[in-house]
Amino acid sequence: MSRIGFGVLMFPIHRPTHNPTLQLEDDLALAELCDRLGYDEFWFGEHHSGGWQIIGAPELMIAAAAQRTRRIRLGTGVSTLSYHHPLTLLDRIIQLDHLTRGRLIFGVGAGALALDSTMIGHDPMQARRMMEESLETMTGLLRFAGPVSRTTDWFELRDGHLQLAPYSDPLDIRVAVFRSPSGPRLAGRFGAGMLSFGASAALGLGSENPMTTAWQIASERAERFGRRLDRRRWSVMSPMHLAETEEQARREVRWGLLSYIQYIRRILPMNVPVDLEDADAVVDVLHTVGHAVIGTPEMAIEHIERMLRISGGFGTFVIEHADLADPAATRRSYELFARRVMPHFTGALRPRLAADARELEQDGLTRRTMAAAQAKAGVEHSRERAALRLPRQRGTDAE
């Protein structure tokens, strides 16, 4: 498999006590920064309730980010299929694929917030079934093999056609994967990629690790349906905040870590068995279960290497952006990751370090050669000046 890539997922998780306009602007600025720093993917989520995850239309964020960036791929992380008619959503996605010149990743999922579903009259327990029905319909439309008709209890499609083919061939579709087997089953059935949330949780559990089981389930379903899976289209995610020292990183996340944990506990079936007033104790738990890294670039490298070993390999490591630190410290963290972590995995440092080692093996050859050359040049210059003075001196003596 080729080198892994790196990305960021912006749910976002923003405290509702701060200015939402500036928060959204900061999200786009971070996408610009990550593009400049060489990250490969940047994802925007979709949520409609709760006050924290305030991006309701990832397509709008991608359209804005596409005008500010040059090379980074932009993903819906994710588009919740049960909230949209499959034809109109797919139409928007294909338009975005053209506007981004193929930089789009179409991440799809069933949604996480129950209120998002109930506010539009849906039963959240039916979201996974509805997601599969939508993906079946979209897949049919993308074949361009004739009209597609489908009637369900939540949408109807009559002789449906797409008026644009995607810019990409094929459109890059990735299915959200968390703890349930439904995500990897869908990815396997349709030969889609995967976006694994909470991928690193409980790293030490070996064959029971969520990454291991997700790939196994997806592979079994892919074989059944005659599909092929590609690990390069598998993005896995962990929260991360880096600084020069672990102590500094821990100090910086006191800005937002506890708020993040308190919110996540309200919406996800997770438990942090410590006092939620003690940020250091929370960090200790997150490190123990392998869920996050609050520390140094070296700790991040070790974390990603463990994930690669346990999973068998994936395409992209994605940082879950969670407003753990203030915006300035967050930018420093992403820059530190790009400068110190990414080159370890891309191989960019190997030829430079080898060249440095070869120079060291010469035991100062360059320094000695330079000194000798300088001395030689000095001697030659002195001789030339002396030769020029000699005729003048002879002329003076003759007078």
Side-chain angles (χ1 to χ4, degrees):
M1 202 173 84
S2 59
R3 74 166 181 88
I4 66 169
F6 298 93
V8 176
L9 189 139
M10 179 70 64
F11 281 114
I13 296 179
H14 292 324
R15 280 184 280 182
T17 54
H18 291 197
N19 187 325
T21 305
L22 297 182
Q23 288 173 333
L24 291 170
E25 186 62 33
D26 283 344
D27 295 346
L28 291 171
L30 187 60
E32 288 185 80
L33 175 66
C34 289
D35 181 56
R36 181 174 62 81
L37 291 174
Y39 286 79
D40 301 282
E41 299 173 0
F42 201 96
W43 302 75
F44 295 98
E46 176 187 359
H47 302 87
H48 302 276
S49 61
W52 288 68
Q53 297 166 273
I54 55 174
I55 293 176
E59 306 100 308
L60 293 179
M61 298 297 287
I62 289 172
Q67 300 301 307
R68 303 175 180 217
T69 57
R70 295 185 303 167
R71 52 164 298 279
I72 196 167
R73 300 195 68 196
L74 302 165
T76 57
V78 295
S79 291
T80 306
L81 297 189
S82 60
Y83 301 165
H84 308 276
H85 192 286
L87 175 65
T88 54
L89 175 59
L90 188 55
D91 247 351
R92 295 196 299 271
I93 292 299
I94 290 174
Q95 180 179 335
L96 269 182
D97 194 36
H98 284 270
L99 291 174
T100 61
R101 295 296 195 273
R103 288 193 284 147
L104 182 77
I105 307 172
F106 185 26
V108 299
L113 302 180
L115 281 177
D116 285 3
S117 294
T118 59
M119 286 194 301
I120 59 175
H122 291 178
D123 178 357
M125 294 300 294
Q126 299 300 317
R128 288 171 174 79
R129 185 261 302 174
M130 297 163 75
M131 174 185 171
E132 185 163 8
E133 292 171 348
S134 177
L135 200 52
E136 288 171 347
T137 305
M138 289 181 174
T139 302
L141 289 165
L142 287 167
R143 292 194 190 101
F144 293 93
V148 176
S149 297
R150 182 77 182 266
T151 300
T152 72
D153 59 348
W154 65 283
F155 77 85
E156 182 177 1
L157 180 64
R158 299 178 183 176
D159 296 331
H161 293 83
L162 293 170
Q163 60 180 352
L164 282 178
Y167 184 93
S168 304
D169 184 21
L171 183 66
D172 189 352
I173 300 175
R174 307 205 191 166
V175 176
V177 173
F178 189 43
R179 300 290 178 83
S180 164
S182 61
R185 283 173 60 87
L186 276 184
R189 175 183 172 186
F190 294 103
M194 293 191 292
L195 174 61
S196 291
F197 296 81
S200 59
L203 277 173
L205 295 182
S207 63
E208 297 301 319
N209 181 271
M211 289 183 294
T212 305
T213 55
W215 186 259
Q216 180 181 353
I217 292 168
S219 298
E220 290 172 354
R221 292 284 285 179
E223 183 177 358
R224 176 179 173 184
F225 284 90
R227 305 285 188 179
R228 293 187 60 186
L229 298 182
D230 185 350
R231 286 182 180 269
R232 291 172 297 183
R233 294 174 57 225
W234 186 13
S235 299
V236 304
M237 183 171 54
S238 290
M240 190 169 285
H241 180 79
L242 305 183
E244 291 292 346
T245 67
E246 184 178 351
E247 291 73 18
Q248 180 184 347
R250 285 173 175 258
R251 185 168 59 251
E252 289 175 348
V253 300
R254 290 172 190 159
W255 187 87
L257 175 63
L258 297 181
S259 297
Y260 161 72
I261 291 295
Q262 289 165 356
Y263 174 69
I264 290 296
R265 288 183 71 194
R266 295 207 309 262
I267 65 171
L268 295 178
M270 65 173 290
N271 182 42
V272 180
V274 294
D275 180 3
L276 289 183
E277 299 299 321
D278 187 343
D280 283 321
V282 172
V283 171
D284 290 340
V285 170
L286 294 176
H287 285 176
T288 298
V289 301
H291 179 66
V293 174
I294 310 298
T296 64
E298 292 72 26
M299 293 169 66
I301 289 170
E302 181 182 358
H303 179 79
I304 296 169
E305 286 180 337
R306 290 178 67 195
M307 293 177 69
L308 286 167
R309 287 196 300 270
I310 289 173
S311 67
F314 47 81
T316 309
F317 173 78
V318 177
I319 299 172
E320 176 190 329
H321 181 84
D323 271 8
L324 300 181
D326 69 65
T330 297
R331 288 191 294 270
R332 290 196 302 269
S333 174
Y334 284 116
E335 291 179 358
L336 194 58
F337 187 94
R339 297 182 190 280
R340 301 263 294 277
V341 179
M342 287 163 56
H344 175 85
F345 293 96
T346 62
L349 300 183
R350 282 196 293 271
R352 295 184 63 192
L353 293 174
D356 181 59
R358 287 193 297 271
E359 182 64 36
L360 290 173
E361 289 171 358
Q362 301 304 313
D363 193 25
L365 174 63
T366 298
R367 175 177 52 81
R368 294 195 306 273
T369 302
M370 180 71 74
Q374 290 172 344
K376 180 181 178 182
V379 170
E380 291 175 348
H381 178 66
S382 298
R383 288 175 177 171
E384 182 181 328
R385 294 189 63 189
L388 291 173
R389 286 197 302 269
L390 186 57
R392 290 199 298 269
Q393 183 63 42
R394 288 174 178 170
T396 302
D397 291 346
E399 293 175 1

